[in-house]
Amino acid sequence: MSDANATQRMEVTGESDGESAFVARARDHELVMDDPETMGGDDAGAMPIEYLLAAWSGCLDATVRAVAPDFDLDVEGVEVAVAGEFDPRKHLGRAEEPRAGYQGVEATVDVDFAGEVDDDTLAEFTTAVEERCPVSDNLANETATDVTLQQE
């Protein structure tokens, strides 16, 4: 891929599967989403907002592995834990505030390096991972959205 035409269009499609579940398709993969019973769902899958955290954790793992060679680091393993505070009241139409999404998110990435890594290198590596992770970028920066609702 040349730098002149480096963008890739990603596409996910899907449809409702009953009253509360949704099945999305990304390439040849299915992602089942649903709300827990406490929110009116059947708990047939993770909530869409949980998939956002899953996407971030997977992207952090991939980015650690992609950035490591630039620092001459050998990665033997990666464990990622992510969490965020979510108040469902606006989503459910029960309140105007706070916002519908996460109030904040945080990640802890435990990297098992093949050798010792000094503190300065680890700090630079961490900054590079956060800057180069596409999902981190989308979480940290405003991304334009355009939603069109149509009748069938």
Side-chain angles (χ1 to χ4, degrees), residues 46-152:
M47 295 169 52
I49 199 159
E50 291 169 316
Y51 270 103
L52 178 64
L53 293 180
W56 191 30
S57 65
C59 197
L60 285 167
D61 171 69
T63 305
V64 162
R65 293 173 184 283
V67 173
D70 296 344
F71 286 79
D72 293 322
L73 298 173
D74 291 322
V75 174
E76 294 184 343
V78 180
E79 291 184 20
V80 182
V82 297
E85 296 296 324
F86 167 64
D87 183 335
R89 291 178 297 169
K90 184 170 187 175
H91 168 68
L92 297 172
R94 296 184 186 149
E96 292 295 317
E97 295 291 331
R99 59 183 284 197
Y102 286 113
Q103 307 303 305
V105 292
E106 61 271 348
T108 302
V109 183
D110 292 324
V111 182
D112 182 11
F113 294 104
E116 287 296 315
V117 179
D118 65 72
D119 291 344
D120 290 340
T121 301
L122 185 59
E124 289 177 35
F125 180 70
T126 300
T127 298
V129 167
E130 191 163 12
E131 288 177 353
R132 290 173 53 180
C133 176
V135 177
S136 290
D137 178 77
N138 276 275
L139 288 169
N141 298 292
E142 186 173 330
T143 301
T145 62
D146 182 10
V147 177
T148 302
L149 296 179
Q150 305 175 134
Q151 290 190 81
E152 295 228 2

